[in-house]
């Protein structure tokens, strides 16, 4: 099972007994945003077990922020944030990415660059996915949709420039714009019509 990518997949398994009888089964599965974040937290905690004293501070802070963002009260399900808690989830993740980025810049760090780059990439992918999921929900006004997509594009641009923390900020803004109630969006647009 490939759990490195958020979304759906399938896995096929085959077995052959001693008599030569073969059977194959295929099963669909879904890797949730929350599960992907839990996997990054587990990897960081595993790294903490062998990390040098020098690296532990940043790793602990990154792990703490991720653990806080995973609080069940912040989530409706594995792919949707609670409306009143979503912004704090993005902020926690941004701070985790900043701590991992500090380790990446530290030439004396004993944490492998490939691990740090992978964790940062996964976390920014997670935040982009949270924003995209919110954007894809039905009932979003055209104005809110345009604003959310604009923020999503800004996040993609920041990420392409090597600024993952800035990208997360834009993904948070995209999520917020996409999760506004339609009646709030409509009341703002009617105010401008007067």
């Amino acid at each position: 099972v490939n759990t490195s990518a958020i979304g759906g997949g399938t896995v096929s398994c085959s077995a052959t007994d001693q008599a030569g009888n073969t059977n194959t089964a295929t099963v669909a599965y879904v890797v949730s945003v929350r599960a992907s974040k839990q996997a990054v937290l587990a990897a960081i905690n595993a790294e903490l077990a062998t990390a040098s004293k020098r690296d532990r501070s940043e790793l602990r802070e990154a792990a703490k922020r991720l653990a806080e963002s995973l609080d069940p009260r912040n989530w409706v399900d594995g792919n949707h944030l609670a409306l009143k808690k979503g912004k704090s989830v993005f902020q926690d993740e941004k701070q985790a990415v900043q701590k991992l980025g500090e380790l990446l810049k530290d030439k004396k760090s004993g944490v492998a660059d490939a691990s740090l780059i992978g964790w940062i990439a996964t976390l920014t992918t997670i935040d982009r996915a949270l924003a995209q999921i919110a954007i894809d929900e039905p009932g979003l006004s055209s104005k809110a949709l345009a604003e959310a997509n604009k923020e999503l594009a800004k996040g993609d641009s920041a990420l392409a420039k090597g600024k993952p923390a800035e990208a997360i900020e834009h993904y948070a803004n995209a999520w917020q714009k996409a999760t506004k109630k339609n009646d709030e969006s409509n009341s703002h647009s009617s105010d401008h019509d007067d």
Side-chain angles (χ1 to χ4, degrees), residues 34 37 65-77 80-94 127 130 168 171-173 175-176 179:
R34 193 163 187 268
K37 190 186 288 201
R65 293 298 176 182
L66 287 178
E68 288 173 5
S69 75
L70 285 163
D71 184 324
R73 293 173 292 185
N74 296 336
W75 297 82
V76 175
D77 60 33
H80 295 87
L81 296 172
L83 293 179
K84 293 185 179 185
K85 302 284 188 169
K87 184 68 174 174
S88 66
V89 170
F90 284 99
Q91 289 304 315
D92 284 334
E93 203 144 301
K94 177 182 172 184
D127 282 339
L130 286 168
I168 289 172
Y171 297 149
N173 292 340
W175 178 85
Q176 279 188 304
T179 55

Side-chain angles (χ1 to χ4, degrees), residues 143-170:
K143 180 181 177 186
L145 180 63
E147 289 174 353
N149 278 322
K150 184 176 180 181
E151 284 294 331
L152 198 66
K154 286 180 182 179
D156 292 346
S157 176
L159 193 57
K161 293 175 184 174
K163 299 177 180 179
E166 184 180 322
I168 289 172
E169 192 66 36
H170 287 295

Side-chain angles (χ1 to χ4, degrees), residues 18-189:
Q18 290 180 340
N21 299 312
T22 301
N23 197 4
T24 300
T26 301
V27 178
Y29 64 92
V30 176
V31 178
S32 74
V33 172
R34 193 163 187 268
S36 296
K37 190 186 288 201
Q38 288 169 324
V40 172
L41 177 58
I44 291 171
N45 283 330
E47 183 71 32
L48 258 168
T50 59
S52 68
K53 184 177 181 181
R54 175 186 180 89
D55 294 336
R56 275 188 236 141
S57 174
E58 280 80 7
L59 287 171
R60 269 196 206 107
E61 187 62 27
K64 177 184 172 188
R65 293 298 176 182
L66 287 178
E68 288 173 5
S69 75
L70 285 163
D71 184 324
R73 293 173 292 185
N74 296 336
W75 297 82
V76 175
D77 60 33
N79 289 322
H80 295 87
L81 296 172
L83 293 179
K84 293 185 179 185
K85 302 284 188 169
K87 184 68 174 174
S88 66
V89 170
F90 284 99
Q91 289 304 315
D92 284 334
E93 203 144 301
K94 177 182 172 184
Q95 291 173 358
V97 162
Q98 288 171 326
K99 288 297 177 184
L100 296 173
E102 288 172 21
L103 282 172
L104 189 58
K105 291 176 187 173
D106 183 355
K107 298 303 175 197
K108 294 182 180 179
S109 171
V111 182
D113 286 357
S115 294
L116 294 165
I117 291 167
W119 297 334
I120 291 169
T122 299
L123 294 173
T124 53
T125 298
I126 287 167
D127 282 339
R128 189 186 194 290
L130 286 168
Q132 188 67 61
I133 288 166
I135 289 169
D136 292 344
E137 291 291 325
L140 195 60
S141 72
S142 58
K143 180 181 177 186
L145 180 63
E147 289 174 353
N149 278 322
K150 184 176 180 181
E151 284 294 331
L152 198 66
K154 286 180 182 179
D156 292 346
S157 176
L159 193 57
K161 293 175 184 174
K163 299 177 180 179
E166 184 180 322
I168 289 172
E169 192 66 36
H170 287 295
Y171 297 149
N173 292 340
W175 178 85
Q176 279 188 304
K177 290 179 185 306
T179 55
K180 281 184 181 178
K181 292 180 183 173
N182 282 334
D183 58 352
E184 288 176 327
S185 298
N186 292 336
S187 71
H188 290 338
S189 63

